[in-house]
Amino acid sequence: MSKYLSVSALTKYIKYKFDQDPHLQTVLIKGEISNFKKHFSGHLYFALKDKGSVISAMMFKGNASKLNFEPKEGDEVLIEARVSVYEARGSYQIYVNKMQLDGIGNLYQRLEELKKKLHKAGYFDQSLKKPIPKYPQKIAVLTASTGAAIRDIHSTINKRYPLVEQVQINTLVQGKQAKQDIIQNIQKADALGVDTIIIGRGGGSIEDLWNFNEEEVVQAIYECQTPIISAVGHETDFTLSDFVADVRAATPTQAAVIATPDKYELLQQLKQTKLTLTRSMQQLLKHHSKHLSHLSSYYKFKQPTLLYDQQLQRKDDLEKQLIQTMMLRIQNTTYQLSLYNQRFNLKQLNERVTHLNETKAKLSSRLQQTMKSTLKHHQNAYVNKLERLNNLSPTNTMLRGYTIVNKDDKVVTSTQALKENDEIELTMKDGNVDAIVKKVRCKNE
């Protein structure tokens, strides 16, 4: 019995062989995701299949958090993984380290990311869309010089509005050089002074239309001052150029329809307008003719003098009233002037001024004398007070033989403040004397 292995032992041995094989540590695989499940833990479980085989796969949360897209059923992916055995089921599977979309899927991912970026930057803002001119004089068409797109645009414009001038700018719409060619031709058309620019091409795969998803092309359309109609691909095809353009057309033919009015509709409008104007003019002429007939029968027009004879008489009356009013005004003004001359006698005015000047001179003289007398009185009083203050000053007192006694920088005014051996300072008229008290004699002793 010892020759027989347990299932667990065999599974561990097989897992050991897988884990030791360097060719299975890093394998690059491409395939389609199926049975995709995202566990609440964050781990991803799915199967990777192609036309002939299926292999189980799982991706741990740490690696899954680094993905720049959301995996889903049917995605074509490129995977970097290691191959090992899941012991619990005894089946081999791959443990995914890195994963990215393959081919077209990757392009769709780039398209969505760029669309979000440009939308956030305001490139698709509807308020910035420029209106398409209703009656253009010149239209620039940017597309390949051969193909159905250019034929459809030219034939439609010629049928609808042959008056407009078409400027054909041969443009690469596919290939590596197409992006730069599209940008240069947009700028060229914008400088020509055309009314509208049509950018168009036929349908194709996302790879064929990718130049119209390039960020630089979108920016060139956004910065263009001329209204742009985008007609890239078929009705079901959408590119970023469609979103940034002023108008998106489902097909090149529809772009030509949007850019031009219909000549048959214009002719019908002109006929209707002509009919309406003719009727209006006939009614207006009839109305004015009737009014003119009514005015010509008016009695005053039969005798034109009736229109102005009373006005002439009225003019004469007003002239007469004006002259009388002016004469009366002159008389009143003359009378008022005479009264003013009488009231303001120049001789009396001069005498009055002379009298006032004499009075002013007298008052000024009296004021000066009064001020001198007052100043003299105050000056004498000041001198007397100064002499009295000087006589009472300590300095004058000392000149008569008196002395000021100081003890501890204080004036001594009584013998009670002194005792034997006190040091004192005697201030005299010509200096100071330091002394010591030998004996104190008070009057009451």
Side-chain angles (χ1 to χ4, degrees), residues 386-416:
L386 187 62
E387 289 178 354
R388 290 171 61 190
L389 183 62
N390 188 48
N391 291 334
L392 295 175
S393 69
T395 304
N396 281 344
T397 302
M398 287 189 291
L399 289 175
R400 295 197 298 273
Y402 290 95
T403 300
I404 298 174
V405 179
N406 291 278
K407 176 186 175 184
D408 299 330
D409 295 329
K410 294 182 180 179
V411 176
V412 177
T413 60
S414 172
T415 57
Q416 299 293 330

Side-chain angles (χ1 to χ4, degrees), residues 156-326:
T156 302
I157 291 177
N158 289 333
K159 290 178 182 178
R160 289 176 56 83
Y161 196 60
L163 295 177
V164 70
E165 178 186 351
Q166 299 182 52
V167 180
Q168 168 63 34
I169 301 179
N170 185 26
T171 304
L172 296 175
V173 294
Q174 190 171 331
K176 293 183 179 179
Q177 305 298 324
K179 179 180 75 172
Q180 195 60 36
D181 194 50
I182 293 170
I183 294 172
Q184 291 177 354
N185 286 340
I186 289 174
Q187 295 171 347
K188 176 181 177 182
D190 195 26
L192 292 177
V194 298
D195 299 293
T196 307
I197 298 173
I198 297 176
I199 301 176
R201 61 152 290 159
S205 65
I206 186 172
E207 296 96 330
D208 296 335
L209 304 178
W210 188 254
N211 286 292
F212 294 93
N213 291 320
E214 294 285 359
E215 184 174 358
E216 293 87 345
V217 173
V218 173
Q219 185 173 359
I221 296 175
Y222 178 77
E223 294 175 350
C224 184
Q225 300 300 311
T226 307
I228 292 181
I229 301 174
S230 175
V232 179
H234 298 307
E235 186 171 358
T236 56
D237 297 323
F238 279 93
T239 65
L240 297 182
S241 295
D242 295 329
F243 293 106
V244 72
D246 298 292
V247 175
R248 188 255 176 181
T251 62
T253 300
Q254 188 185 26
V257 172
I258 294 172
T260 57
D262 187 356
K263 66 180 180 180
Y264 298 106
E265 293 180 1
L266 291 177
L267 288 173
Q268 291 298 321
Q269 292 177 8
L270 287 173
K271 290 179 181 179
Q272 186 62 38
T273 303
K274 180 180 178 181
L275 180 61
T276 302
L277 286 174
T278 302
R279 289 176 180 175
S280 298
M281 290 178 64
Q282 289 175 349
Q283 293 178 359
L284 188 63
L285 287 171
K286 183 178 179 181
H287 171 72
H288 284 294
S289 176
K290 184 178 179 180
H291 184 62
L292 182 60
S293 176
H294 173 72
L295 291 176
S296 63
S297 64
Y298 191 49
Y299 76 97
K300 286 190 176 181
F301 287 126
K302 295 180 179 180
Q303 290 183 324
T305 56
L306 296 175
L307 293 172
Y308 59 83
D309 54 1
Q310 291 191 13
Q311 300 303 323
L312 291 175
Q313 185 177 354
R314 175 66 175 162
K315 169 181 167 293
D316 293 339
D317 291 341
L318 290 175
E319 286 181 350
K320 183 178 179 180
Q321 291 179 11
L322 178 61
I323 293 173
Q324 291 177 351
T325 302
M326 290 179 63

Side-chain angles (χ1 to χ4, degrees), residues 93-109:
Q93 66 181 25
I94 57 174
Y95 293 85
V96 180
N97 297 321
K98 298 179 181 178
M99 180 166 57
Q100 65 183 32
L101 289 170
D102 181 23
I104 296 176
N106 195 26
L107 284 179
Y108 279 116
Q109 178 189 352

Side-chain angles (χ1 to χ4, degrees), residues 80-96:
E80 178 186 310
R82 65 182 176 87
V83 184
S84 187
V85 175
Y86 183 48
E87 295 183 44
R89 288 197 295 266
S91 61
Y92 86 94
Q93 66 181 25
I94 57 174
Y95 293 85
V96 180

Side-chain angles (χ1 to χ4, degrees), residues 323-351:
I323 293 173
Q324 291 177 351
T325 302
M326 290 179 63
M327 293 301 296
L328 182 61
R329 185 68 179 271
I330 292 172
Q331 291 177 1
N332 289 336
T333 304
T334 303
Y335 176 72
Q336 291 293 332
L337 183 60
S338 175
L339 291 178
Y340 288 142
N341 287 332
Q342 293 177 5
R343 182 180 300 176
F344 296 103
N345 189 288
L346 185 59
K347 181 179 180 180
Q348 292 179 355
L349 182 60
N350 289 334
E351 291 177 353

